[in-house]
């Protein structure tokens, strides 16, 4: 079986994408359209439960495996802005896809700077996959080509952010600006 979802060689997340099981990549790719990517539907499709919760202001989110039923649960801070919550869900999905062995009943809790008990390398990987999921390279560039007559450029970041429901910081990070 081949992965039908095309990820170009210049996509900065390609190495991480290729670390994910091929069956999961195919399942995920069905959700990578937009704008915006329906990140909650993607989480649900992976069997993850997503909840908004009152959390301390320094906490953005958490993923854990509930001991009572072994379901993976993502909690996001309901006080955060919607684009922040979307990124947090995508970030926690990144941990699920790349660092599942590190998730237990206590889970992985991420601060507002996406720091946890995991290494900085693993947090950076979760951030890279989060941006990949929220802004699929080909779909976003195709959208920009239709909207602006050219591939993604720094001058497009605010409109990309608005259309794809992400922050300008996420859009800039994703496309290396």
């Amino acid at each position: 079986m081949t992965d039908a979802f095309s990820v170009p060689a210049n996509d900065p997340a390609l190495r991480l994408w290729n670390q994910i099981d091929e069956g999961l990549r195919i399942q995920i790719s069905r959700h990578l359209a937009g704008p915006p990517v329906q990140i909650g539907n993607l989480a649900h499709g992976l069997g993850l439960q997503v909840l908004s919760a009152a959390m301390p202001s320094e906490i953005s989110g958490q993923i854990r495996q509930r001991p009572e039923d072994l379901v993976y649960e993502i909690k996001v801070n309901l006080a955060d802005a919607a684009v922040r919550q979307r990124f947090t869900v995508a970030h926690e999905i990144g941990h699920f896809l790349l660092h599942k062995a590190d998730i237990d009943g206590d889970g992985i809790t991420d601060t507002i700077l996406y720091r946890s008990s995991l290494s900085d390398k693993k947090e950076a990987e979760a951030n890279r996959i989060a941006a990949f999921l929220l802004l699929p390279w080909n779909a976003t560039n195709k959208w920009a080509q239709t909207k602006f007559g050219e591939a993604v450029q720094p001058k497009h970041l605010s409109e990309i952010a608005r259309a794809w429901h992400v922050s300008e910081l996420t859009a800039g990070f994703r496309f290396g600006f």
Side-chain angles (χ1 to χ4, degrees), residues 78-101:
L78 61 81
D80 286 347
V83 294
R84 177 70 175 206
Q85 289 182 33
R86 285 174 48 78
F87 189 87
T88 298
V89 170
H91 177 91
E92 302 306 343
I93 290 171
H95 283 313
F96 176 78
L97 295 171
L98 298 170
H99 314 126
K100 196 172 188 177

Side-chain angles (χ1 to χ4, degrees), residues 55 58-61 75-77 80 84 88 110-112 114:
M55 303 174 91
E58 70 275 4
I59 302 298
S60 287
K75 287 185 182 176
V76 295
N77 192 330
D80 286 347
R84 177 70 175 206
T88 298
D110 288 296
T111 68
I112 57 173
Y114 294 106

